[in-house]
Amino acid sequence: MKIIPLIEGTFTVDRTKQFFPFDPGKDNLQKRPVGSILVEVQPFVIITSNDILLLDTGLGFSEENGRMKLHQNLLNAGIGISEVTGILLSHLHKDHSGGLRSKTKPDKLGFPNATYYLQKRELDYAFEKGAPSYLSHELEALKHDSKVTFLHEDSGMIGDHIHYEVTGAHSPYHQVFFIHDRGEVVFYGGDDASQLQQMKHRFIAKYDFDGRKAMELRRSWWQRGEKEKWSFLFYHDVKNPLWKF
Ligand SMILES: [Zn+2]
């Protein structure tokens, strides 16, 4: 399997949960609103024997030339937008789902030949909960599009090679993915397991729906991963995108 991190960038987030681009070489954290924290955003593309899979879609921010950063990153990796065959969505917070729409037709999905896989209950919850964590107008396109495959079960298979499990830890219907290809296992834990250091230290995150559950899950995944030689992908960790046991 070929795994390519698609770095969207570093941002500050304050209490309003708005994301503002932050350049560590130029910007000063002290000048951002009080309580701002730094967040890195990094979707992944994985090329397997059968598929080109995108794991979450970032914020959907654009570059100065008007092109979506996510699309540019894919092109830089030699992958056209129409070559992506599957999009796996861990959950629908705006920093994970912002890039799923078309840039030119924002009421349509942006990857013409991809099947979008998401939990139906996460979509329902997103509309119920709304802003600031979920942007329902950006998710509207998921409601009635033949390219969407809703997952309804707590765990199951997508084709023969991808296993999903609903954890209900970071968000009530958050799911994680296990991608199998030629004897390799890649684990994508979304925001249940989004940074390498979270795997090594026990801590309960305030921003999680069920922080204790997320902590316990991280511990058990890390142990299983070591035993079964998984690769871990970390969405909010630009320095350590990938850990291979
Ligand atoms: Zn999240």
Side-chain angles (χ1 to χ4, degrees):
M1 268 183 280
K2 191 170 175 196
I3 299 166
I4 306 162
L6 306 170
I7 302 171
E8 189 166 12
T10 302
F11 303 84
T12 55
V13 187
D14 61 20
R15 277 191 216 106
T16 66
K17 296 209 177 166
Q18 283 207 73
F19 286 72
F20 297 99
F22 182 87
D23 180 344
K26 264 197 337 223
D27 295 325
N28 181 351
L29 187 56
Q30 306 307 322
K31 295 203 172 130
R32 297 287 161 108
V34 177
S36 291
I37 54 161
L38 284 175
V39 178
E40 297 171 335
V41 175
Q42 173 178 252
F44 292 89
V45 66
I46 301 187
I47 304 169
T48 71
S49 331
N50 306 297
D51 281 302
I52 298 183
L53 301 170
L54 186 58
L55 308 187
D56 288 338
T57 64
L59 285 155
F61 285 5
S62 294
E63 299 198 304
E64 276 161 20
N65 64 12
R67 186 174 270 157
M68 202 187 283
K69 177 88 175 164
L70 176 68
H71 295 176
Q72 185 64 55
N73 280 341
L74 282 165
L75 291 175
N76 293 350
I79 298 166
I81 305 312
S82 55
E83 289 181 281
V84 176
T85 58
I87 298 178
L88 308 180
L89 296 164
S90 63
H91 66 305
L92 298 174
H93 282 161
K94 62 187 174 187
D95 55 325
H96 289 253
S97 62
L100 53 79
R101 299 185 300 165
S102 158
K103 174 84 186 160
T104 47
K105 296 187 204 121
D107 57 333
K108 297 266 185 324
L109 295 175
F111 293 86
N113 297 317
T115 305
Y116 290 65
Y117 297 95
L118 61 139
Q119 280 289 322
K120 176 66 165 67
R121 290 170 291 173
E122 174 70 11
L123 185 64
D124 294 341
Y125 181 78
F127 276 90
E128 186 189 310
K129 193 87 177 163
S133 296
Y134 295 98
L135 298 181
S136 23
H137 65 279
E138 292 192 352
L139 303 173
E140 200 66 44
L142 290 169
K143 275 184 161 173
H144 315 281
D145 193 302
S146 57
K147 292 198 289 293
V148 172
T149 294
F150 287 121
L151 307 173
H152 300 277
E153 309 297 327
D154 283 344
S155 72
M157 295 298 292
I158 295 167
D160 296 331
H161 305 283
I162 304 166
H163 172 69
Y164 68 87
E165 258 175 50
V166 175
T167 61
H170 172 68
S171 69
Y173 303 102
H174 187 288
Q175 62 186 348
V176 298
F177 298 99
F178 301 84
I179 300 155
H180 298 257
D181 191 41
R182 298 181 181 177
E184 276 181 84
V185 182
V186 169
F187 172 71
Y188 176 55
D191 275 359
D192 288 339
S194 65
Q195 291 174 324
L196 176 61
Q197 58 160 23
Q198 298 178 348
M199 309 309 287
K200 300 184 168 177
H201 307 283
R202 286 170 65 77
F203 89 108
I204 296 177
K206 272 191 284 192
Y207 49 73
D208 283 340
F209 169 70
D210 187 341
R212 179 165 294 278
K213 190 174 186 188
M215 178 178 75
E216 299 302 345
L217 283 169
R218 283 194 292 273
R219 189 167 65 156
S220 76
W221 289 325
W222 200 238
Q223 287 171 351
R224 272 179 67 196
E226 185 171 14
K227 224 183 276 163
E228 299 169 19
K229 304 279 174 258
W230 299 351
S231 298
F232 287 75
L233 306 182
F234 299 117
Y235 189 87
H236 289 306
D237 194 337
V238 166
K239 274 181 221 75
N240 308 287
L242 175 70
W243 176 276
K244 245 184 157 107
F245 271 114

